[in-house]
Amino acid sequence: MIIWGSKPITGNLGAGNFNCPVCVSNRPYDQKRVRRFFTLYFIPLFPTSTLGQYVECRGCQGTFEPGILSYDPAIEAQRTEALFMTAVKQIMIHVCLADGSIDDEEVNQIQAIYEQLTGARIGESDLREEITAISQSANTCLLYTSDAADDLLCV
């Protein structure tokens, strides 16, 4: 009687250091690949397919997609800041549009508050273009705020 089958085997592809999002620090990792092997009498002979790859943090033992190796906290912080600045500006525009229009004083207030919160200055012509685009969109303040919160929390 011949006994044959298959079984998954995990092997190391490499190791190094990466920025672990769970440990929130630079940690050693192992990159692993899981392959299915053909077995004869319970002895693995050759791989038949690759089932997947993952990265395992040696600190917290968390597992991640291999793309995590390119995660850079500094770049992610810049991305979050840009999302925040955009959300602040657009929510202020939505709030000011609640009565149907924005006057010059509201434009000045949006510019002042935006600069105070973000440290960046927004030009009046750019702001008026955004006001026009938002006033013509069907997106409500509540919907935009909900979407912005989701984007910022997922970062």
Side-chain angles (χ1 to χ4, degrees):
M1 179 171 157
I2 297 176
I3 300 175
W4 59 273
S6 67
K7 78 178 200 176
I9 296 179
T10 302
N12 259 349
L13 288 177
N17 289 323
F18 80 124
N19 292 301
C20 178
V22 174
C23 298
V24 192
S25 64
N26 198 324
R27 295 290 201 168
Y29 73 87
D30 292 311
Q31 187 169 4
K32 299 184 178 190
R33 173 177 58 193
V34 181
R35 298 190 298 176
R36 184 172 304 283
F37 275 76
F38 175 80
T39 60
L40 186 60
Y41 295 106
F42 307 105
I43 300 169
L45 298 177
F46 56 87
T48 59
S49 63
T50 298
L51 300 175
Q53 291 185 30
Y54 63 95
V55 172
E56 182 177 63
C57 176
R58 290 187 198 162
C60 66
Q61 277 70 48
T63 58
F64 309 95
E65 294 287 328
I68 196 72
L69 296 177
S70 62
Y71 170 73
D72 183 349
I75 291 172
E76 203 57 40
Q78 289 174 344
R79 182 177 164 280
T80 302
E81 185 177 350
L83 283 171
F84 171 76
M85 291 182 354
T86 300
V88 164
K89 178 176 49 178
Q90 293 200 355
I91 290 170
M92 285 191 297
I93 291 170
H94 276 285
V95 168
C96 289
L97 278 171
D99 65 356
S101 66
I102 295 182
D103 61 30
D104 290 340
E105 182 57 32
E106 288 173 320
V107 169
N108 292 337
Q109 283 298 312
I110 290 172
Q111 286 177 302
I113 292 169
Y114 183 80
E115 186 173 358
Q116 182 181 1
L117 290 175
T118 66
R121 183 120 175 89
I122 181 172
E124 185 175 344
S125 62
D126 292 336
L127 181 57
R128 289 200 182 271
E129 283 179 28
E130 268 194 81
I131 290 168
T132 302
I134 290 173
S135 66
Q136 294 172 351
S137 90
N139 205 356
T140 65
C141 184
L142 183 60
L143 183 60
Y144 177 78
T145 304
S146 175
D147 290 346
D150 289 344
D151 289 344
L152 286 167
L153 291 174
C154 289
V155 169

